[in-house]
Amino acid sequence: MALTRLNPAMLAATLVVGGLAAALPLMGASRYQLVLVYYFAYYLALGQAWNLMSGMTGYVSFAHGALAGIGAYATVMAMNAGVPMWLSIPIGAAVAGVSSLVIGATSLRLRGIAFTFATLFFQALALLIVRKLPAAGGAGGLPLQDILPVWLPQLFMILLAVLSTILVMVVRASRTGTRLLAIKGDEAAALSLGIASARLKLLFFCISAVLAGLAGAFHGLFTASLYPDVVFSFDMSITALAVPLIGGVATAFGPAAGAILFVGVGELLDIFAPGLHNVVIGALLVAVVLFMPLGLVPFTVGRMRDRRKDARSPAASGEYAR
Amino acid sequence: MTVLRTEGLEKSFGGLRAVRGVNFTVETGQLLGLFGPNGAGKTTLFNLIAGETRPDQGGIFLDGEDITHLAGWRRVRLGIGRTFQVTRPFRDLTVMENVLAGVPRSDATRPHDERSAYSLLERVGLAERAGDPASQLTLGMLKRLEVVRVLAIEPKLLLLDEPLAGLSVSESAELLEFVVTLKSATAIIIVDHNVRQCLPVCDTAMVMDGGEVIAHGLPEEVKTDPRVVRAYLGEEAA
């Protein structure tokens, strides 16, 4: 009765890796190494946010970059207005969550493509509004007036990456996760079994947006200055979906592999072929879709299982030969 | 006990009257066969009962409660389960996950767990495939899985839409044999073109043409109804 179950070993491994990453500054890691780990955690948190909604339901969002941007702007604006950080961060996440309800309530009752177009439109609209909004600093951007120690947003981001990975793990192993995947598989059939797909999609889009908003909020604290063309660039939405797509959608560890690849490839390209980042990531995505449609992790795990099966088969053990 | 009652159901698509003034009841323990040629209105009637389309006129009552305007998924929760003409498994989920997908977890009156899902799978010979992805099953297995998936939500009314389509004679006989065992707990409506195999297991039969019910009664009576024999069942059943 193979069901996807919550694996305590995987859970423990996630916590241990997260703990080690958080302890890196105490272990004498260089600034460069810390920044690499930070970006890994940022891409992972954003990728898991996308994974929780789009990976599980099949409703592809192009708005996760914008949702992170909204989280960043709302948090920094709140802090600049004198709201303490501990309150500004949830405000940022809540604004992202409410924004997702606006997109979701209007488009999630329709089938996938309508939702995807709504998110694309939202991504473009968010940039337009922030560029024109004087309170958000307009096109010139918005600096964070507080000075925070760098380790703080790094620690927050690592925590978020760990928590979002565990959340995906828990959801995937739950009956709710099965229902989300049923919606992805065949929504009409899911409805015929009484699965309230519109409600579930809206709920998970909102949870996913809150996670993206938190990632954006922490990134806003990390960079300490927000430029709308960077924060709301389409690249971030592509990153949010490319990380799980490359690593493996609807899995807990696929996005981790995707984030490692993203950071690693980014660093190598900065050295050997600066400016070709999008071209290489695009080529990687196409290669994964063509040759490993389930993503890197499920592909590798599947191959390992097949090999183990082959090794155990009577033919391999020489039973037939005898 | 009457599970389903329809009163004067009407549904038109543009100028086409797909369902005209359909009245009938189904009771627990009853297997009703719904027959008729293509375009007779059977699938539209099915969709009206399942809540996938709304009637222009008339009412649908489940256990006496008016469900005419309820959304499909709410009707499922009240006890209407359906299968599809073309099987629609969740291909990336395992067979077990397919069965569990629709089972409400929090409902204490339905203490379903993997064990009860497993015993359902055992009844249709799929227990050994519980851990396999549904994409690896044959059509015959998928048809059985689809029935089990609906049974897991414990429907009061089971709507089977062409369950025998694509199955061999022996596979059809096996599936029908299983369906008959379900009557004690549920009312069943079966739509199928395989009248020869279906009719003998039905308690009552209803034949539609042009959106109207042209015959309704015991299978033997319906089978010999001149209008049915002439227009729909032909020499085969006569």
Side-chain angles (χ1 to χ4, degrees), chain A residues 1-5 172-175 178-179 181-186 188-196 199 294, chain B residues 73-74 76-77 82 84 88-90 93-94 96-98 100-105 114 118 130-131 149-150 153:
Chain A
M1 279 191 265
L3 279 173
T4 304
R5 301 198 185 274
R172 180 61 190 90
S174 71
R175 190 74 55 83
T178 305
R179 292 198 177 113
L181 289 169
I183 291 169
K184 183 180 182 178
D186 187 331
L191 281 166
S192 81
L193 293 174
I195 296 171
R199 272 191 208 172
L294 295 177
Chain B
W73 66 271
R74 286 194 184 276
V76 180
R77 293 196 175 174
R82 73 163 297 173
F84 295 92
R88 306 180 80 153
F90 307 123
L93 296 182
T94 64
M96 175 61 80
E97 285 172 327
N98 264 270
L100 290 173
V103 177
R105 180 162 232 168
E114 285 169 46
Y118 193 79
R149 196 169 69 173
V150 180
I153 59 174

Side-chain angles (χ1 to χ4, degrees), chain A residues 252-276:
Chain A
F253 292 110
I260 290 173
L261 210 68
F262 231 78
V263 174
V265 168
E267 286 308 292
L268 289 175
L269 288 174
D270 279 349
I271 300 165
F272 298 111
L276 280 180

Side-chain angles (χ1 to χ4, degrees), chain A residues 119-135:
Chain A
T119 58
L120 264 172
F121 174 71
F122 177 79
Q123 168 80 37
L125 188 69
L127 173 61
L128 210 66
I129 290 174
V130 172
R131 278 175 67 95
K132 299 285 178 195
L133 205 66

Side-chain angles (χ1 to χ4, degrees), chain B residues 33-182:
Chain B
L34 180 57
F35 306 108
N38 284 332
K42 307 181 301 287
T43 300
T44 306
L45 181 59
F46 239 56
N47 289 340
L48 288 173
I49 298 167
E52 281 166 36
T53 21
R54 300 292 158 84
D56 301 329
Q57 276 182 51
I60 304 166
F61 302 87
L62 186 76
D63 280 342
E65 188 183 337
D66 188 352
I67 58 163
T68 316
H69 302 292
L70 278 188
W73 66 271
R74 286 194 184 276
R75 295 186 196 194
V76 180
R77 293 196 175 174
L78 290 178
I80 297 182
R82 73 163 297 173
T83 64
F84 295 92
Q85 276 181 22
V86 178
T87 55
R88 306 180 80 153
F90 307 123
R91 292 188 177 274
D92 294 336
L93 296 182
T94 64
V95 170
M96 175 61 80
E97 285 172 327
N98 264 270
V99 179
L100 290 173
V103 177
R105 180 162 232 168
S106 56
D107 192 339
T109 62
R110 287 171 163 172
H112 262 293
D113 56 10
E114 285 169 46
R115 203 167 302 161
S116 50
Y118 193 79
S119 61
L120 272 175
L121 287 170
E122 268 181 332
R123 286 175 68 187
V124 293
L126 286 176
E128 286 188 1
R129 307 297 300 266
D132 294 342
S135 56
Q136 291 178 2
L137 301 188
T138 61
L139 177 65
M141 290 172 173
L142 288 175
K143 289 273 183 183
R144 283 180 272 154
L145 173 62
E146 196 153 283
V147 175
V148 164
R149 196 169 69 173
V150 180
L151 286 178
I153 59 174
E154 297 186 351
K156 293 173 189 166
L157 173 67
L158 182 58
L159 305 171
L160 301 174
D161 198 355
E162 299 204 20
L164 309 186
L167 298 186
S168 68
V169 173
S170 61
E171 283 175 328
S172 299
E174 273 176 33
L175 188 59
L176 282 175
E177 202 178 307
F178 175 63
V179 168
V180 169
T181 67
L182 308 173

